[in-house]
Amino acid sequence: MADTKPGYTAEARKGYGALRPLGSLMAPLTRPVLRRLHPGGAQVMAEWENLVGPGLAARTTPRALERGTLTIACAGPVAMELTMLAPQVMARINAGLGRVAVTKLRFVQAKTAPPPPVKPPMTPVVLPASLLEKLDGMPEGPLREALAKLAQGVYRKTP
């Protein structure tokens, strides 16, 4: 069946017919509207890790900023810790935003992801003498370091 509309061809529709997750479309569509309605809330959520630091950001999630009250999702023990640190946390957020946007913190119970397991440091592997000679013949710098690191990885996995 031929397309009857001029300029409406199968080639023109090629990019539009692909299936994509709905979640991938939500952020670009809602970001401008949320910035207009709640500019502080959108900025807090976008820059959360920079505002509160990576340690706290890993254990908390900002949910909403309404009328100066920032709702934070976290586990029970973290909420107790944040209650004690509330003045410092609010000061850091407000300083990062450049204005007083947060005047009160509210906590909601939420399950947070466990921290990733800490990998033990890799033990160095003894490299073959011929390879060490080639590495020693190279000038100092990032290329030499990268090749030495690559060699460590290759020889670590070899039985």
Side-chain angles (χ1 to χ4, degrees):
M1 173 183 222
D3 290 327
T4 57
K5 298 179 186 176
Y8 192 74
T9 63
E11 290 82 28
R13 290 182 296 175
K14 193 177 262 184
Y16 298 108
L19 295 176
R20 292 186 287 178
L22 184 59
S24 69
L25 300 173
M26 294 306 294
L29 293 173
T30 58
R31 190 173 293 127
V33 175
L34 289 175
R35 273 199 195 113
R36 229 176 306 124
L37 294 175
H38 302 288
Q43 189 176 3
V44 166
M45 291 180 195
E47 299 179 18
W48 183 245
E49 185 172 355
N50 295 333
L51 293 173
V52 299
L56 197 55
R59 300 180 299 157
T60 60
T61 305
R63 291 280 172 94
L65 176 59
E66 297 174 349
R67 297 185 197 110
T69 301
L70 177 63
T71 303
I72 301 173
C74 56
V78 177
M80 290 180 65
E81 178 184 347
L82 284 176
T83 301
M84 300 298 205
L85 297 173
Q88 291 91 344
V89 171
M90 288 188 293
R92 284 183 69 177
I93 293 169
N94 290 332
L97 295 176
R99 65 187 184 288
V100 178
V102 179
T103 56
K104 184 179 172 186
L105 296 179
R106 180 176 159 255
F107 305 106
V108 293
Q109 185 78 18
K111 193 179 256 189
T112 56
V118 178
K119 291 183 180 179
M122 297 286 184
T123 55
V125 176
V126 178
L127 298 174
S130 60
L131 183 59
L132 286 174
E133 289 174 15
K134 290 178 183 177
L135 285 173
D136 288 339
M138 293 183 68
E140 291 287 330
L143 178 61
R144 178 180 172 178
E145 293 169 14
L147 289 173
K149 188 175 180 181
L150 175 65
Q152 285 284 326
V154 168
Y155 281 93
R156 180 174 295 117
K157 294 178 182 175
T158 305

